[in-house]
Amino acid sequence: HRVARHNGADVVGALLGRLSDYVQQRLMELTGARGHPRLKMSFAQVLSLIGPGGGRIQQIAHIQQVSKQAVGAVVGELEGLGYIERRADPADARVQRLCFSPAGLQLLSDSVASVDELAWTGPTPALGGLAAAIDAPHLVARAQRLVDTRRR
């Protein structure tokens, strides 16, 4: 392992990256199994920025630091799947707001249920897989050594 030759922070960072990748992929699988098989990782970057009052493509593009066209492409896919819809902004009818459709609200509910299933509910196969995927004992030991070193 090339990263193991660097300092403890590099190893912890690499393992946390593996944890993040694993959690994202596993949540996609669990949510897909709840009736959303066509999800893509790119959808989260749009869905997470649509609040209760809706969201705007320009605002999402600015926050994500991507073009309006890139966000618009993802929005088109989400609309095609029935998760979001465009509505006129009540304050300015020229502005379109992205809002969750009933199917989109169900997706949110199912996503939360997937987090609950994956997360810390006890010794489940998902949690066992999580521990194996990130090499949890190694991560904890390295993190502790890093903390101990910094305290000295």
Side-chain angles (χ1 to χ4, degrees):
H1 292 33
R2 182 178 162 183
V3 74
R5 294 184 192 136
H6 297 277
N7 68 37
D10 292 338
V11 173
V12 171
L15 290 172
L16 288 176
R18 287 174 55 197
L19 169 62
S20 175
D21 292 346
Y22 175 82
V23 168
Q24 289 177 16
Q25 185 60 43
R26 188 70 181 120
L27 287 174
M28 291 277 295
E29 292 167 4
L30 292 170
T31 306
R34 286 183 162 81
H36 310 280
R38 296 175 60 196
L39 292 179
K40 295 181 180 180
M41 295 299 291
S42 60
F43 293 173
Q45 295 168 339
V46 171
L47 294 172
S48 65
L49 294 173
I50 298 174
R56 292 180 27 225
I57 289 177
Q58 182 176 2
Q59 182 182 38
I60 293 169
H62 177 74
I63 292 169
Q64 293 292 342
Q65 297 182 347
V66 298
S67 70
K68 291 184 288 187
Q69 293 79 7
V71 173
V74 174
V75 166
E77 289 184 79
L78 289 165
E79 283 180 304
L81 292 170
Y83 292 127
I84 62 173
E85 47 196 34
R86 296 176 199 236
R87 298 183 189 150
D89 188 315
D92 184 349
R94 298 171 296 171
V95 175
Q96 294 286 306
R97 296 200 68 73
L98 306 173
C99 298
F100 288 106
S101 65
L105 294 174
Q106 184 62 51
L107 170 61
L108 293 179
S109 177
D110 291 340
S111 297
V112 170
S114 295
V115 169
D116 289 343
E117 181 179 340
L118 176 63
W120 326 104
T121 57
T124 65
L127 187 58
L130 177 62
I134 65 167
D135 189 9
H138 177 74
L139 175 61
V140 170
R142 292 299 297 242
Q144 188 59 54
R145 282 196 295 274
L146 183 62
V147 168
D148 291 346
T149 301
R150 301 231 175 201
R151 285 186 179 162
R152 292 181 197 161

